[in-house]
Amino acid sequence: MSWNPDSASARAMRSANRRLAGLLLLVVILLVAAGGVAQAQDRSGYWQRYDVDINIMPSGDFRVEETQELVFTSGTFRFGQREIPLNKTDGISDITVSEEGGPDYVLSSSGEPYTYSVRQEGNSVYIRYNFPPSSDTRRTIVIGYRVSGGLRYYPEDGVDQLYWTAIPDGNPFPTRTSVISVHLPEGAAFTNYDVYGATAEATFEPGQSDIELPINGPIQPGQAVEVVAEWNHGVVAGTAPAWQQQADAEALVKAREEEWRNRWGPVFTLGFASLGGLLAIGGSLGLYLFWYRKGRDAPVGLVADYLPEAPSDLPAPVAGTLIDESADIEDILATVLDLARQGYIEIEEQRKPGFAGIGSSTDFVYRKTGKTGTLRSYEQTVMDKMFGKKRTEVELSDLKNKFYDVIPTVRQQLYEEVVKEGYFIEPPEKTRNRYSAMGIAALVLGG
């Protein structure tokens, strides 16, 4: 038998093979992706220290050296990456990577251990450094780079300024300790300093040219720390860069927000705490007093143990809704019996024998009597649901799975009936819902 590559069976087999290959490729992709996710989730660590040393040069550039002591607690690490934004600089140069007490890394895109690569994407520079597979150990990486056009100049105020993000917001693990140091060239002296994103304490005296800022407490993942320092103008060369005007506006907004929080934050905290306590205590007391004066039933005195006749001609379903302020299923059943009492329907109990006299059952038959008259709205709804437009007789067994959908309508009509009779200003269900909503709102607002 010869094989025809264009036969229908051959085409079907090729199609099945293609589907199988596609399915296998999808499985491989999912396994690789799942493995990558699991690997990323299994890796963890922290920075034991993240020290940043900044040297201001007479030329107006400044050299940054970051000493990052990385501790790998789980998983295997092979590289790290540092992103440096360029939006408030004229550029980054002279990048170096090494290990403290170890080798200098070589610029290479091979990805081999002890190499690093530099690339620019968008408005950021990315430094990737590669090291041998590391787990349950630590490495101290030293990254150095030169920043051009990164200072701010204010000749009208007689000062120049450094404003630099020392700890980036992209760190995925926490940092336990950090010291930020700033050094000025000869002839310059600090006039002020500040730290944003964290707090730091330093012994500062006017005239210093070197300052160390130990950060208080650990730095959480994603928490950026910015250092600001200023010194006397005229020693460091340079003029205000193009980006300075917008950056000054942003810094002014940030400083005003910080000042507002420091000034008014405690006042608002105390005010909201007092308001919460007032709502929690005074709100509950106010609702109780309102119920006591307006909501509770008026005292009626003693009631006889036995009444020889009904106190009013109020129909039983309406009386039941009035007594417990709720139109429930018992009141709807009472409507059927009350219609029989008024003569609009007849109720007959029928006993149905079972097979060979075994397993007999009881059912009820409801018949229209033909009596005419004006029915209340809930009575008319029950009659229409029981008999429809043409039927004059119906069995209870036929109503079991058909009558439930009319219950909400009858309940609402019973509420409207007690309002019409003058016993309530509005349906009690509506009043309960409104006060429940007020109580929940008071709890949320108090919280």
Side-chain angles (χ1 to χ4, degrees):
M1 178 178 179
S2 61
W3 171 258
N4 180 7
D6 294 325
S7 66
S9 60
R11 290 195 299 271
M13 182 171 291
R14 287 199 297 270
S15 177
N17 288 338
R18 283 196 297 269
R19 289 196 298 271
L20 178 60
L23 179 61
L24 289 175
L25 178 60
L26 176 61
V27 170
V28 170
I29 291 173
L30 290 176
L31 288 175
V32 171
V37 172
Q39 184 179 12
Q41 291 175 342
D42 289 343
R43 292 188 298 182
S44 63
Y46 62 89
W47 277 270
Q48 178 60 41
R49 61 187 175 105
Y50 197 123
D51 295 340
V52 182
D53 193 79
I54 303 173
N55 280 281
I56 311 297
M57 302 178 181
S59 63
D61 293 352
F62 60 90
R63 178 79 183 174
V64 180
E65 190 171 275
E66 302 176 1
T67 303
Q68 306 179 23
E69 184 179 350
L70 294 155
V71 180
F72 310 118
T73 56
S74 67
T76 301
F77 293 77
R78 293 177 173 83
F79 69 92
Q81 183 169 272
R82 171 70 165 99
E83 176 188 358
I84 306 174
L86 299 175
N87 57 327
K88 296 178 182 177
T89 73
D90 290 340
I92 303 292
S93 61
D94 299 341
I95 298 172
T96 61
V97 179
S98 63
E99 285 198 30
E100 191 176 60
D104 293 337
Y105 283 40
V106 179
L107 181 62
S108 171
S109 59
S110 65
E112 294 295 321
Y114 304 115
T115 64
Y116 72 97
S117 59
V118 179
R119 77 180 194 279
Q120 180 175 343
E121 288 186 8
N123 213 20
S124 294
V125 166
Y126 295 86
I127 305 170
R128 169 173 167 148
Y129 47 94
N130 309 288
F131 42 78
S134 303
S135 58
D136 195 22
T137 185
R138 66 182 63 204
R139 289 185 176 275
T140 303
I141 307 296
V142 181
I143 301 175
Y145 50 91
R146 180 171 180 155
V147 181
S148 300
L151 299 180
R152 308 182 193 197
Y153 297 87
Y154 304 96
E156 66 279 4
D157 297 329
V159 296
D160 299 334
Q161 188 182 81
L162 167 75
Y163 197 121
W164 188 248
T165 302
I167 309 294
D169 60 3
N171 287 351
F173 305 126
T175 300
R176 294 191 173 181
T177 63
S178 176
V179 177
I180 303 173
S181 305
V182 184
H183 312 280
L184 296 176
E186 185 178 354
F190 288 109
T191 57
N192 205 351
Y193 78 93
D194 204 349
V195 173
Y196 293 114
T199 58
E201 295 180 0
T203 303
F204 176 75
E205 296 179 2
Q208 288 182 214
S209 60
D210 300 281
I211 190 170
E212 286 190 353
L213 304 171
I215 303 300
N216 295 329
I219 301 169
Q220 301 303 321
Q223 177 182 348
V225 179
E226 300 168 312
V227 60
V228 181
E230 63 181 28
W231 55 88
N232 50 308
H233 177 72
V235 178
V236 178
T239 57
W243 53 264
Q244 180 175 323
Q245 183 176 1
Q246 180 180 353
D248 286 345
E250 295 173 356
L252 180 61
V253 171
K254 183 179 291 187
R256 286 176 176 173
E257 290 176 352
E258 189 76 18
E259 181 184 1
W260 190 92
R261 282 194 297 268
N262 293 336
R263 182 176 181 181
W264 296 106
V267 176
F268 276 90
T269 299
L270 179 61
F272 280 117
S274 302
L275 180 60
L278 181 63
L279 286 172
I281 300 174
S284 301
L285 181 61
L287 284 175
Y288 174 77
L289 291 176
F290 183 82
W291 168 84
Y292 187 83
R293 297 187 59 188
K294 300 290 186 179
R296 63 177 183 148
D297 295 332
V300 295
L302 295 176
V303 179
D305 294 334
Y306 171 75
L307 297 176
E309 58 184 19
S312 74
D313 58 355
L314 201 63
V318 181
T321 303
L322 173 63
I323 290 173
D324 58 7
E325 301 180 5
S326 176
D328 41 39
I329 191 66
E330 289 84 356
D331 300 320
I332 297 175
L333 294 177
T335 302
V336 178
L337 298 177
D338 194 54
L339 287 169
R341 179 190 64 81
Q342 298 178 61
Y344 288 97
I345 63 175
E346 292 178 347
I347 304 175
E348 179 185 347
E349 182 180 2
Q350 290 186 347
R351 190 170 185 82
K352 298 180 178 180
F355 178 75
I358 302 174
S360 61
S361 61
T362 300
D363 203 351
F364 290 87
V365 177
Y366 302 90
R367 298 187 186 90
K368 278 186 176 182
T369 62
K371 179 180 178 179
T372 59
T374 303
L375 296 175
R376 298 173 185 258
S377 59
Y378 68 92
E379 294 173 333
Q380 189 64 57
T381 300
V382 171
M383 289 287 288
D384 293 342
K385 185 62 180 179
M386 291 178 64
F387 300 103
K389 295 181 178 180
K390 298 181 178 180
R391 299 179 67 178
T392 59
E393 183 177 307
V394 65
E395 294 181 353
L396 176 62
S397 56
D398 294 336
L399 297 175
K400 285 183 179 179
N401 298 321
K402 300 177 182 178
F403 202 71
Y404 66 92
D405 59 344
V406 81
I407 291 176
T409 303
V410 177
R411 291 183 73 236
Q412 184 61 36
Q413 290 173 338
L414 282 172
Y415 285 133
E416 293 172 356
E417 201 67 34
V418 292
V419 173
K420 188 188 301 182
E421 292 287 342
Y423 296 108
F424 296 96
I425 298 176
E426 63 179 1
E429 185 80 358
K430 183 177 180 181
T431 303
R432 280 194 295 270
N433 291 339
R434 181 170 66 251
Y435 279 97
S436 296
M438 289 171 59
I440 294 173
L443 287 174
V444 172
L445 195 59

